[in-house]
Amino acid sequence: MPSSGRRRLSTADERRETVLRTAMHAFAARGYYGTSTTEVAEAAGISQAYLYRLFPHKEALFIALINRCAWLMRERMSRCLATADSTDPAEVLTTMASAFRGLAAEERDLVMVLLQANCAASEPAIRAAVRDCYAKQVEYVRAASLASDERIRGFFADGVLGNVLAALDVAAVDAPWARTLSGPGCGHHSPPR
């Protein structure tokens, strides 16, 4: 007999999403090595035992987070490309870069998790997940843009630099080195000309 005073229990999938959102913030702030599953569980409002039912260990949780970041990036780029007016490779790369910049501005934690994932790549399973993330992104960009390897390499080089500049909040730094690195084409996902 349903009671209108009872609150609906979350499903495992809903809890998994809650944990991933919570973990995104925790891992972005303190990295793989500095984040405990206890703090993620507490912030998500679940027990650590339940967290381990959803993700068997911290490494599995972090890898799920890397996969979530990859999905969010592809999903945002795909949505932007669906409304693009051109199929020119340079313009497609510019559209994709703009899509990622928008996502990064809304989800700063995503950028930080990606940087933290690179730092934790000394762990074999995390290294494999990061490689898989890059592989999927590169192949998606290649298929969507039909750009040359050189342009795709430039797109990712500028993207990685852009992530580092965002993490360092270089936009708030008024110094020659900061202007050089954040100038046109640097760190803004612009394809090489």
Side-chain angles (χ1 to χ4, degrees):
M1 210 165 26
S3 167
S4 60
R6 286 183 142 170
R7 71 183 175 105
R8 185 176 161 270
L9 295 177
S10 296
T11 66
D13 287 340
E14 290 169 333
R15 285 291 190 185
R16 183 180 301 272
E17 282 302 308
T18 298
V19 168
L20 287 172
R21 280 192 307 275
T22 302
M24 178 86 82
H25 183 69
F27 283 114
R30 289 174 293 292
Y32 177 71
Y33 299 107
T35 303
S36 73
T37 55
T38 302
E39 70 183 285
V40 172
E42 286 175 4
I46 61 173
S47 69
Q48 190 170 18
Y50 189 68
L51 175 71
Y52 284 131
R53 284 181 55 202
L54 297 172
F55 301 96
H57 42 74
K58 183 167 98 168
E59 189 175 73
L61 172 59
F62 194 65
I63 289 169
L65 199 53
I66 293 167
N67 293 335
R68 179 185 180 82
C69 290
W71 179 83
L72 288 168
M73 289 185 294
R74 280 193 316 275
E75 191 274 335
R76 177 62 68 96
M77 287 188 285
S78 177
R79 256 192 301 138
C80 284
L81 286 176
T83 62
D85 295 330
S86 174
T87 58
D88 175 68
E91 289 185 36
V92 170
L93 289 176
T94 299
T95 298
M96 294 172 94
S98 177
F100 180 77
R101 280 194 309 275
L103 177 62
E106 294 167 23
E107 302 276 347
R108 185 172 190 277
D109 286 348
L110 178 138
V111 170
M112 297 305 292
V113 165
L114 292 173
L115 291 171
Q116 298 286 7
N118 289 326
C119 292
S122 60
E123 302 293 334
I126 293 172
R127 179 174 48 246
V130 171
R131 284 177 177 170
D132 186 55
C133 177
Y134 274 106
K136 286 177 181 173
Q137 298 305 316
V138 169
E139 293 313 319
Y140 178 77
V141 168
R142 181 189 321 279
S145 70
L146 301 175
S148 69
D149 284 353
E150 179 184 1
R151 285 184 179 261
I152 293 169
R153 189 172 28 261
F155 174 85
F156 280 93
D158 284 346
V160 171
L161 177 59
N163 289 350
V164 170
L165 296 176
L168 298 175
D169 194 18
V170 169
V173 177
D174 184 20
W177 70 268
R179 288 189 296 276
T180 297
L181 290 180
S182 57
C186 293
H188 295 287
H189 299 273
S190 300
R193 304 218 185 273

